[in-house]
């Protein structure tokens, strides 16, 4: 209930598209009953969660922040949603995103942009320079990053304890960094994509957003494993793990890829990155510079492969079976054309056109095949580095802290995506697990995170290292008035959710 | 070069062509055959496969292309394709891939079809089929057509255009049903060859059980690629003829198209690389509505399906779960006898003619019926086959019945044939009994024989007495016979037959009369 009222008071963040108040309360009630009987369904029983609005939820609207699916009520739950519900989790609602997950700001959905909760934090307000008296004090709010901005904001503002995002080029880690929360991108094939409305089938993964690394491990444990409904999940048995407290990092080898010193990287973040490396070094770990030479090609490679798959995946939206259907009915073709023009925003339409261009017979070899080859090279870069004895890579997650919305929209979606994805994109190309850990506040009082990239299916090692790092940096808690008001001493002392103690 | 392949007609046709054209034409026919896989559920989803169900009652979330749904490959469909590939002498690709073929149409919910364009499941096979020359079954020639490949792909739904109400009705029951596309190289040269090849393929599929291949139910659909050229010159522009829904129409459509192209080219025109439909009422091919000109299908690998890996006994890892894999060798070992093998066995075992074996296999259930009769009768198979093909089959055809629906069971027929063998009745009488049995009134042959008094006189003395009586009463005829006019003997035989009401064995009567007359 606290979460629900907090959602209401933070409505200005626009983090939620749909709040499922009634069902959530009912779920919470059931959960209470189970606890009273001493029979909780699992570790997540009663824990309030939010789900990005590109996951299918039965009976609750799934829109992908698009006119194409406004009002669409799916008849089935995505596998990951079902798993959470089976554990007794309480589904608070669906969170906001860039339309069809295309974007890096969570600004391009039909329900409007998501505001970063840190825009209203004392930390940011203290550091921000007031422009003039007449200016609306709201106008310099900063973006959440994207495309899972709603989920990141929901977790960051304490309206839920964990949220599902999706990650195709960095869409979970990017907003996690800007909102000061943990954002985990699991290995491709570890978690089922059944029910996740796809952007790029060969790169998408469900992402996990939480306030601490331990929580991420718990959620991962509930979600990972083979799903017969998703043929790209691995068949091996997955065993949920508990994170041990790492005390000795001397056996670790941390790689610092030099190409991640990308153009446009703020000096602040560069310094933080360096500090983090020193942290490991001083604790006895082996810290070495490594090279991933094909990093600089990943953005163009991603552009070709992503738009091609988008063009293909969006072909099903014709207004015939579900979703928006135009009133134009002169012919099937004209109905299709009008439906798609009305239903999709410019970003989606742009990517479809590009993708179809690359897939044309005369272009296929030069673009699509070439991009696939480059993708293999990028993936091989990682294989070589991990093969040479490096355990974990340490890189920045974003080029800078969150920028104000008014500045962000000065450039178009494509430009922004290309800029912002540079540090996160390659992990999707290679299918590797990666995690953003909130590290420190920038000079402007906004969160900055650092990224760890691990070996395929070695989430345990990745999270163990991340947890150690988290403990060292002691990232501060957000000081939000709204949160304070709803908090009866509970949130203050627990940055994390000990799942067993907190229920709605 | 195939110049109609008929040794006798060759010369006639050459003359024909020299008369009416400067150089002969070589027609070239290739086929793309879509066979619906006989399976409980669809290729990538669990919804049921069933003919003529209420519209949109067999549609899963995946079939309707609901966002977020993913394909899951149906094992049975893979096995069906492997079986078919092996039966057609193909190499089975141990690794094959799935692709998306994109186009917009109301019956294609996802906007793309999942197919195998880059690497299909089976390649480089062959199919042997037989043709009869001169439409007589007596001379058969064997031909071979190369199989380019077999690929797994999804069937589309059905759309019905209602021009009156300006609407299109879409039924997705068929959307996603598994298909095997069998591509036959352009090794055929006329409608008859195409029809024979398809017929043989149909029999093979039905024998394997991989497809029920009933064209009337849309389980087997054939597109024909037709072109003509002068010998020694490159192949001509080809047209594709679609919407052929029977083997008979296939032959007609192909032959019509060949003729049309020849006429067109000889009058100075050109052939367009177009798609044509076969109008069965008019008996001709017509251009189809030009949908979108030349289509670029923007093929792309299907990212949600990993490569399909098949194993054989050698490559199968020891600890692999057998439920999880398809073993080519295992399937090979369990292949049933193919039609060609079955026919050879029938000929060898029963001493029947090759063309008989074709007819037996061509009719569902007829071979089993034949073999059942053989088991229950002493009559030699060579004689039984005549009854099966000439009597039973012609009655069935006349009444448009299948073997299963035959009012005469194998038991009854065998009984009848036994009595004929034991000379209890004459062969003419037997035909009469058969006609009675056909009425299906539940009477046995014995009952009918008794009822119609058809039994042959068995008492030799009795017969001799009658013969003598006839001889005694026909002095003139007897004199004529004795003076050399043998033909008159038939009249005497006829008289004996009349006297005995047809119940005398004419062969025996002839013998007796001759014996008496020579005394």
């Amino acid at each position: 209930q606290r979460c629900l009222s907090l959602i209401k008071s933070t409505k200005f963040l626009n983090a939620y598209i749909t709040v499922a108040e009634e069902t959530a309360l009912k779920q919470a009630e059931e959960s209470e009953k189970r606890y009273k009987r001493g029979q909780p369904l699992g570790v997540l029983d009663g824990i309030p969660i939010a789900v990005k609005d590109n996951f299918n939820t039965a009976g609750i609207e799934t829109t992908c922040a698009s006119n194409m699916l406004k009002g669409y009520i799916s008849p089935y739950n995505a596998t990951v949603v079902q798993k959470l519900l089976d554990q007794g989790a309480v589904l608070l609602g669906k969170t906001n995103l860039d339309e069809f997950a295309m974007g890096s700001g969570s600004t391009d959905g039909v329900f409007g942009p998501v505001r970063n909760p840190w825009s209203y934090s004392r930390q940011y307000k203290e550091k921000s320079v007031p422009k003039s008296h007449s200016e609306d004090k709201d106008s310099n709010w900063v973006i959440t990053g994207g495309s899972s901005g709603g989920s990141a904001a929901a977790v960051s503002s304490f309206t839920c304890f964990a949220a599902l995002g999706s990650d195709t080029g960095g869409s979970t880690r990017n907003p996690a960094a800007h909102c000061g929360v943990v954002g985990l991108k699991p290995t491709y094939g570890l978690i089922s994509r059944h029910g996740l409305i796809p952007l790029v089938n060969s790169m998408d993964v469900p992402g996990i957003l939480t306030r601490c690394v331990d929580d991420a491990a718990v959620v991962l444990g509930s979600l990972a494993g083979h799903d017969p409904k998703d043929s790209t999940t691995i068949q091996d048995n997955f065993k949920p793990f508990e994170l041990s407290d790492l005390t000795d990092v001397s056996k670790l080898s941390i790689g610092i890829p030099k190409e991640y010193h990308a153009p446009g990287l703020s000096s602040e973040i560069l310094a933080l990155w360096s500090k983090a490396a020193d942290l490991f070094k001083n604790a006895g770990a082996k810290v070495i510079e490594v090279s991933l030479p094909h990093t600089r090609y990943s953005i163009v490679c991603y552009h070709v492969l992503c738009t091609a798959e988008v063009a293909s995946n969006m072909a099903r939206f014709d207004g015939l079976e579900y979703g928006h259907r135009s009133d134009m009915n002169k012919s099937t073709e004209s109905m299709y054309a009008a439906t798609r023009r009305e239903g999709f925003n410019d970003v989606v339409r742009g990517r479809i056109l590009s993708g179809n261009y690359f897939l044309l017979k005369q272009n296929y070899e030069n673009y699509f095949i070439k991009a696939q080859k480059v993708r293999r090279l990028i993936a091989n870069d990682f294989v070589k580095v991990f093969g040479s004895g490096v355990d974990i890579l340490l890189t920045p997650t974003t080029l800078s802290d969150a920028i104000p919305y008014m500045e962000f929209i000065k450039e178009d979606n494509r430009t922004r995506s290309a800029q912002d994805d540079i540090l996160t994109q390659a992990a999707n190309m290679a299918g590797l697990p990666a995690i953003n850990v909130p590290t420190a506040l920038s000079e402007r009082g906004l969160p900055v995170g650092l990224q760890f990239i691990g070996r395929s299916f070695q989430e345990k090692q990745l999270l163990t290292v991340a947890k150690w790092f988290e403990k060292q940096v002691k990232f501060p808690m957000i000081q939000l008035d709204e949160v304070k008001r709803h908090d009866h001493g509970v949130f203050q002392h627990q940055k994390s959710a000990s799942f067993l103690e907190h229920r709605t | 070069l195939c110049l109609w392949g008929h040794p006798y007609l060759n010369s006639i046709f050459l003359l024909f062509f020299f008369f009416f054209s400067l150089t002969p034409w070589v027609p070239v026919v290739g086929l793309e055959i879509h066979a619906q896989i006989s399976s409980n559920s669809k290729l990538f989803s669990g919804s049921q496969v069933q003919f003529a169900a209420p519209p949109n009652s067999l549609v899963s979330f995946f079939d309707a292309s609901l966002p977020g749904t993913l394909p899951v490959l149906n094992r049975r469909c893979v096995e069906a394709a492997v079986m078919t590939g092996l039966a057609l002498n193909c190499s089975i690709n141990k690794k094959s891939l799935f692709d998306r073929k994109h186009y917009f149409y109301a019956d294609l919910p996802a906007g793309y079809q999942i197919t195998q364009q880059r690497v299909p499941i089976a390649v480089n096979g062959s199919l042997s089929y037989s043709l009869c020359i001169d439409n007589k079954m007596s001379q058969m020639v064997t031909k071979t057509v190369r199989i380019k490949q077999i690929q797994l792909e999804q069937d589309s739904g059905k759309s019905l255009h209602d021009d009156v109400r300006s609407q299109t009705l879409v039924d997705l029951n068929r959307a996603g049903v598994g298909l095997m596309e069998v591509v036959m190289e352009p090794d055929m040269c006329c409608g008859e060859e195409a029809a024979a090849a398809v017929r043989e393929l149909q029999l093979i599929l039905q024998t394997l059980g991989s497809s029920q291949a009933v064209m009337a139910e849309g389980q087997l659909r054939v597109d024909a690629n037709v072109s003509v050229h002068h010998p020694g010159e490159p192949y001509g522009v080809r047209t594709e003829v679609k919407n052929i829904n029977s083997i008979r129409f296939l032959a007609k459509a192909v032959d019509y198209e060949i003729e049309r192209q020849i006429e067109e080219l000889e009058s100075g025109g050109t052939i367009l690389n177009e798609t044509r439909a076969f109008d069965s009422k008019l008996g001709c091919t017509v251009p189809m509505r030009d949908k979108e000109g030349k289509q670029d299908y923007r093929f792309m690998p299907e990212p949600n399906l990993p490569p399909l890996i098949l194993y054989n006994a050698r490559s199968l890892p020891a600890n692999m779960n057998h439920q999880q894999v398809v073993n080519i060798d295992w399937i090979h070992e369990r292949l049933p006898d193919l039609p060609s093998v079955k026919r050879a066995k029938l000929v060898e075992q029963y001493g029947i003619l090759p063309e008989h074996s074709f007819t037996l296999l061509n009719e569902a259930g007829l071979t089993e019926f034949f073999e059942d009769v053989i088991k229950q009768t002493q009559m030699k198979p060579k004689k039984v086959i005549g009854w099966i093909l000439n009597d039973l089959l012609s009655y069935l055809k006349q009444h448009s019945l299948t073997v299963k629906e035959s009012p005469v069971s194998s038991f009854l027929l065998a009984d009848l044939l036994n009595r004929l063998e034991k000379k209890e009745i004459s062969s003419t009488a037997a035909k009469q009994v058969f006609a009675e049995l056909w009425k299906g009134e539940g009477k046995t042959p014995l009952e009918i024989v008794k009822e119609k008094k058809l039994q042959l006189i068995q008492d030799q003395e009795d017969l001799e007495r009658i013969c003598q009586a006839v001889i005694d009463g026909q002095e003139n005829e007897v004199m004529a016979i004795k003076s050399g006019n043998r033909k008159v003997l038939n009249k005497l035989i006829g008289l004996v037959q009349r006297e005995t009401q047809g119940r005398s064995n004419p062969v025996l009567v002839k013998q007796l009369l001759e014996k008496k007359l020579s005394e």
Side-chain angles (χ1 to χ4, degrees):
Chain A
Q1 278 161 331
R2 253 175 270 159
C3 287
L4 285 171
S5 56
L6 187 55
I7 292 174
K8 290 199 182 107
S9 23
T10 54
K11 210 159 174 206
F12 57 88
L13 293 177
N14 203 16
Y16 287 82
I17 293 175
T18 306
V19 179
E21 185 159 348
E22 265 183 51
T23 53
L25 286 171
K26 209 185 291 172
Q27 285 166 359
E29 229 183 273
E30 309 269 302
S31 171
E32 290 264 346
K33 288 191 197 140
R34 286 191 293 266
Y35 272 102
K36 284 212 174 85
R37 289 200 303 267
Q39 291 171 340
L41 287 172
V43 153
L44 294 176
D45 200 331
I47 300 297
I49 50 144
V51 167
K52 186 174 180 182
D53 208 12
N54 58 356
F55 285 91
N56 278 274
T57 45
I60 300 174
E61 205 175 327
T62 301
T63 68
C64 293
S66 173
N67 279 323
M68 191 59 92
L69 289 177
K70 238 187 194 166
Y72 173 68
I73 302 204
S74 167
Y76 74 101
N77 279 324
T79 298
V80 290
V81 171
Q82 190 61 54
K83 283 190 169 185
L84 291 174
L85 292 175
D86 287 344
Q87 288 261 320
V90 176
L91 178 54
L92 292 176
K94 309 296 289 297
T95 57
N96 204 351
L97 59 155
D98 285 301
E99 180 161 339
F100 279 109
M102 298 184 204
S104 59
S106 304
T107 53
D108 280 322
V110 293
F111 297 103
V114 185
R115 299 187 184 198
N116 192 328
W118 284 84
S119 316
Y120 303 93
S121 68
R122 189 165 301 174
Q123 289 106 324
Y124 178 62
K125 287 189 200 160
E126 278 170 4
K127 296 287 176 77
S128 64
V129 179
K131 299 255 171 70
S132 69
H133 295 290
S134 53
E135 213 171 79
D136 177 11
K137 70 171 171 109
D138 248 0
S139 67
N140 63 344
W141 58 267
V142 297
I143 56 166
T144 52
S147 61
S148 313
S151 283
V155 174
S156 169
S157 59
F158 284 85
T159 60
C160 64
F161 283 81
L164 289 183
S166 65
D167 197 311
T168 308
S171 292
T172 290
R173 292 161 285 157
N174 176 296
H178 288 314
C179 294
V181 296
V182 170
L184 171 62
K185 174 209 169 296
T187 312
Y188 182 88
L190 183 61
I191 299 188
S192 171
R193 291 182 297 111
H194 169 77
L196 166 60
I197 297 175
L199 176 60
V200 184
N201 286 296
S202 64
M203 298 185 207
D204 289 351
V205 291
I208 298 171
L209 295 132
T210 56
R211 286 193 286 275
C212 69
V213 177
D214 268 325
D215 291 352
V218 171
V219 177
L220 179 70
S222 309
L223 297 182
H226 176 63
D227 183 9
K229 296 195 188 112
D230 179 352
S231 307
T232 60
T233 53
I234 50 156
Q235 311 252 356
D236 303 353
N237 274 327
F238 173 79
K239 288 198 210 81
F241 48 81
E242 240 183 71
L243 289 179
S244 54
D245 276 310
L246 190 61
T247 45
D248 176 21
V249 297
S250 60
K251 296 201 186 71
L252 267 182
S253 171
I254 308 286
I256 310 288
K258 63 180 187 198
E259 289 83 5
Y260 279 64
H261 184 164
L265 187 64
S266 78
S267 46
E268 244 190 331
I269 297 193
L270 183 60
L272 207 61
W273 186 20
S274 192
K275 232 169 119 180
D278 288 340
L279 196 68
F280 279 100
K281 211 183 296 178
N282 296 335
K286 188 166 142 201
V287 179
I288 53 170
E289 191 189 72
V290 296
S291 175
L292 299 168
H294 297 93
T295 303
R296 61 196 166 115
Y297 303 120
S298 77
I299 288 300
V300 285
C301 176
Y302 176 72
H303 179 72
V304 172
L305 295 177
C306 170
T307 53
E309 287 210 35
V310 163
S312 179
N313 290 331
M314 297 296 146
R316 66 187 58 212
F317 295 104
D318 51 21
L320 210 58
E321 298 87 13
Y322 49 82
H324 172 68
R325 185 197 281 207
S326 168
D327 290 329
M328 164 71 70
N329 60 1
K330 260 197 292 200
S331 70
T332 313
E333 277 85 21
S334 63
M335 190 272 277
Y336 279 13
T339 296
R340 290 161 73 79
R341 184 181 60 247
E342 292 164 15
F344 291 139
N345 72 4
D346 284 349
V347 178
V348 178
R349 302 215 310 274
R351 292 199 194 189
I352 293 173
L353 288 170
S354 302
N356 278 327
Y357 177 78
F358 296 135
L359 289 176
L360 288 175
K361 216 169 172 175
Q362 73 250 33
N363 295 329
Y364 186 72
E365 185 82 27
N366 287 332
Y367 288 96
F368 191 87
I369 299 280
K370 255 301 162 47
Q372 283 194 311
K373 291 180 178 172
V374 173
R375 181 177 181 178
R376 175 64 61 193
L377 292 175
I378 293 171
N380 283 345
D381 279 356
F382 287 98
V383 171
K384 275 199 208 102
V385 163
F386 285 126
S388 70
V390 170
D391 297 307
I392 303 274
L393 298 171
L394 168 63
T395 80
T397 313
T398 54
L399 295 173
S400 71
D401 57 4
I403 63 176
Y405 175 71
M406 299 306 281
E407 212 183 295
F408 184 77
I409 55 174
K410 284 187 187 152
E411 300 274 11
D412 67 33
N413 182 297
R414 177 152 128 65
T415 310
R416 286 298 183 201
S417 297
Q419 291 166 345
D420 299 332
D421 284 347
I422 186 93
L423 300 168
T424 47
Q425 214 295 300
N428 296 87
M429 287 286 196
L432 297 172
I435 186 170
N436 171 75
V437 182
T439 309
L441 292 182
S442 69
E443 269 174 30
R444 289 161 64 216
L446 294 171
V448 170
L450 290 176
Q451 172 177 240
F452 294 93
I453 304 175
R455 295 175 193 204
S456 266
F457 301 107
Q458 301 305 314
E459 270 78 357
K460 187 169 179 190
Q461 182 182 52
L462 177 69
L463 290 170
T464 306
V465 173
K467 182 175 172 179
W468 180 87
F469 183 72
E470 176 188 61
K471 208 162 161 201
Q472 307 304 312
V473 298
K474 298 196 188 58
F475 182 77
M477 198 175 94
I478 188 174
Q479 286 170 30
L480 261 184
D481 291 331
E482 287 75 12
V483 173
K484 287 225 180 82
R485 257 179 259 136
H486 284 84
D487 177 25
H488 304 296
V490 169
F491 295 153
Q492 283 278 31
H493 303 295
Q494 289 272 7
K495 200 181 69 170
S496 82
S498 299
F499 285 143
L500 294 170
E501 287 175 35
H502 289 100
R503 283 164 268 142
T504 325
Chain B
L1 289 174
C2 166
L3 286 171
W4 297 83
H6 304 284
Y8 303 99
L9 297 180
N10 234 354
S11 34
I12 299 170
F13 273 74
L14 272 174
L15 273 173
F16 185 85
F17 282 125
F18 276 128
F19 229 83
F20 291 103
S21 70
L22 299 169
T23 40
W25 289 99
V26 178
V28 171
V29 180
L31 299 174
E32 275 161 31
I33 300 156
H34 291 90
Q36 257 188 17
I37 298 175
S38 172
S39 60
N40 289 328
S41 53
K42 297 184 180 178
L43 182 56
F44 294 117
S45 73
S47 41
Q48 211 193 338
V49 177
Q50 195 190 311
F51 182 67
N56 292 314
S57 60
L58 305 171
V59 184
S60 68
F61 298 153
F62 174 77
D63 302 331
S65 79
L66 293 195
T69 52
L70 299 170
V72 181
L73 184 56
N74 178 334
R75 184 213 170 94
R76 157 71 187 160
C77 293
V78 176
E79 290 172 348
V82 171
M83 267 198 286
T84 307
L86 291 171
L88 295 177
N89 306 307
C90 297
S91 312
I92 307 294
N93 282 327
K94 293 233 199 64
K95 177 170 158 182
S96 61
L97 306 172
F98 290 100
D99 305 287
R100 293 184 182 181
K101 177 180 180 182
H102 300 87
Y103 61 93
F104 285 102
Y105 204 65
D107 62 17
L108 198 65
Y112 58 83
Q113 175 202 36
I114 302 180
T115 176
Q116 293 188 298
Q117 188 245 1
R118 288 168 294 159
V119 185
I121 192 166
V123 291
N124 296 339
S126 66
L127 169 70
S128 292
Y129 60 96
S130 292
L131 283 177
C132 36
I133 306 173
D134 296 348
N135 272 331
K136 289 185 206 141
M137 294 295 285
S138 49
Q139 299 212 48
M140 306 204 83
V141 61
T142 304
K143 299 215 151 228
T144 310
V145 59
R146 289 167 299 157
I147 305 288
K148 179 165 185 239
Q149 65 188 52
I150 301 176
Q151 65 204 53
L152 282 168
E153 58 184 36
Q154 293 174 302
D155 207 346
S156 64
K158 281 210 193 114
S159 55
L160 301 152
H161 301 289
D162 182 357
D163 291 318
V164 170
R165 291 185 199 75
S166 247
Q167 61 181 3
T168 301
L169 304 166
V170 181
D171 176 12
L172 295 180
N173 281 350
R174 202 183 67 181
V177 171
L179 292 177
M180 294 177 286
E181 179 175 329
V182 179
V183 182
M184 291 187 180
E185 299 276 25
D187 295 341
M188 296 160 283
C189 68
C190 58
E192 197 187 351
E193 289 195 356
V198 171
R199 180 67 187 122
E200 188 65 9
L201 176 67
Q202 197 179 34
L203 282 175
I204 292 176
L205 293 172
Q206 287 166 350
T207 304
L208 293 172
S210 57
S211 170
Q212 286 165 48
V214 176
M215 279 183 94
E217 291 185 4
Q219 292 162 341
L220 192 72
R221 297 172 332 237
V222 182
D223 298 333
N225 293 314
V226 180
S227 74
V228 297
H229 65 275
H230 290 301
E233 283 181 14
Y235 281 17
V237 174
R238 68 157 199 250
T239 61
E240 190 187 7
V241 184
K242 291 174 97 87
N243 284 0
I244 306 166
N245 49 24
S246 84
I247 294 192
R248 209 163 51 91
F249 289 157
L250 170 62
K252 278 199 176 153
V254 167
D255 287 335
Y256 176 87
E257 182 60 17
I258 290 170
E259 242 184 75
R260 183 193 77 86
Q261 290 194 10
I262 291 175
E263 272 176 33
E264 182 70 34
L265 290 170
E266 290 199 329
S267 60
T270 50
I271 305 298
L272 294 171
N273 173 216
E274 59 177 353
T275 306
R276 299 176 73 89
F278 179 66
D279 185 324
S280 49
K281 289 201 196 85
L282 299 174
C284 65
T285 64
V286 293
M288 274 180 100
R289 269 185 324 171
D290 183 51
K291 280 192 248 176
E292 284 108 41
K294 276 263 188 80
Q295 281 265 36
D296 189 326
Y297 292 113
R298 291 164 281 126
F299 284 99
M300 188 187 88
E302 169 55 71
N304 292 317
L305 291 169
L308 173 60
I309 310 288
L310 303 175
Y311 297 89
N312 57 18
R314 213 162 8 128
S315 67
L316 189 61
N319 56 352
M320 186 85 73
N321 182 359
H322 285 269
Q323 297 285 69
Q324 289 288 328
V325 301
V326 170
N327 183 337
I328 301 168
D329 287 340
W330 193 89
I331 294 176
H332 207 318
E333 283 159 23
R334 283 155 186 77
L335 283 178
D337 277 346
L338 292 181
S340 51
V341 172
K342 277 194 198 169
R343 283 185 211 117
K345 280 191 180 170
L346 285 171
V347 169
E348 214 211 289
Q349 195 175 359
Y350 300 116
I352 58 176
L353 295 175
E355 52 263 31
H356 293 161
S357 69
F358 270 90
T359 316
L360 278 180
L361 255 65
N362 246 0
E363 203 60 42
L366 194 58
T367 310
E368 288 73 35
F369 193 99
F370 170 65
E371 294 190 302
D372 281 343
V373 171
I374 300 284
K375 276 188 221 144
Q376 300 171 85
T377 183
Q378 297 94 27
M379 184 182 277
K380 291 244 182 326
K382 277 191 188 165
K383 280 175 83 177
V384 175
I385 192 74
W387 279 90
I388 297 287
L389 298 183
N390 301 331
D391 297 277
L392 178 72
L393 192 57
S394 61
Y395 267 86
L396 287 173
K397 290 290 174 208
Q398 262 178 50
H399 293 89
S400 296
L401 292 173
T402 61
V403 173
K404 236 195 296 195
E405 296 164 334
S406 168
V408 181
S409 67
S410 59
F411 173 75
L412 286 177
L413 181 57
D415 185 4
L416 171 59
L417 296 182
N418 282 339
R419 294 183 192 283
L420 179 57
E421 268 299 280
K422 285 188 244 174
K423 295 204 195 337
E424 281 174 29
I425 51 174
S426 67
S427 57
T428 338
K431 303 264 181 209
Q432 277 182 270
V433 175
F434 188 80
E436 266 308 302
L437 284 174
W438 192 263
K439 291 192 189 147
E441 287 162 2
K443 297 191 203 137
T444 66
L446 182 61
E447 286 166 358
I448 297 172
V449 165
K450 283 209 180 120
E451 206 184 281
K452 294 201 181 278
K453 297 195 176 55
L454 294 171
Q455 54 277 65
L456 289 176
I457 296 176
Q458 302 292 358
D459 188 338
Q460 180 110 338
E461 273 181 26
D462 210 10
L463 208 53
E464 279 193 35
R465 186 180 48 78
I466 296 173
C467 285
Q468 191 60 56
V470 163
I471 287 174
D472 292 343
Q474 305 292 330
E475 276 179 28
N476 293 337
E477 284 75 6
V478 167
M479 267 200 329
I481 293 167
K482 285 197 175 161
S483 60
N485 192 349
R486 304 303 301 175
K487 275 201 237 174
V488 181
L489 188 60
N490 290 336
K491 184 172 176 200
L492 291 184
I493 297 173
L495 286 171
V496 173
Q497 286 280 46
R498 215 179 45 192
E499 195 55 38
T500 59
Q501 291 163 309
R503 290 163 53 213
S504 53
N505 184 344
V507 173
L508 186 56
V509 166
K510 188 166 180 216
Q511 278 175 5
L512 287 173
L513 285 173
E514 282 177 342
K515 196 174 90 179
K516 286 188 186 294
L517 289 171
S518 62
E519 282 165 0

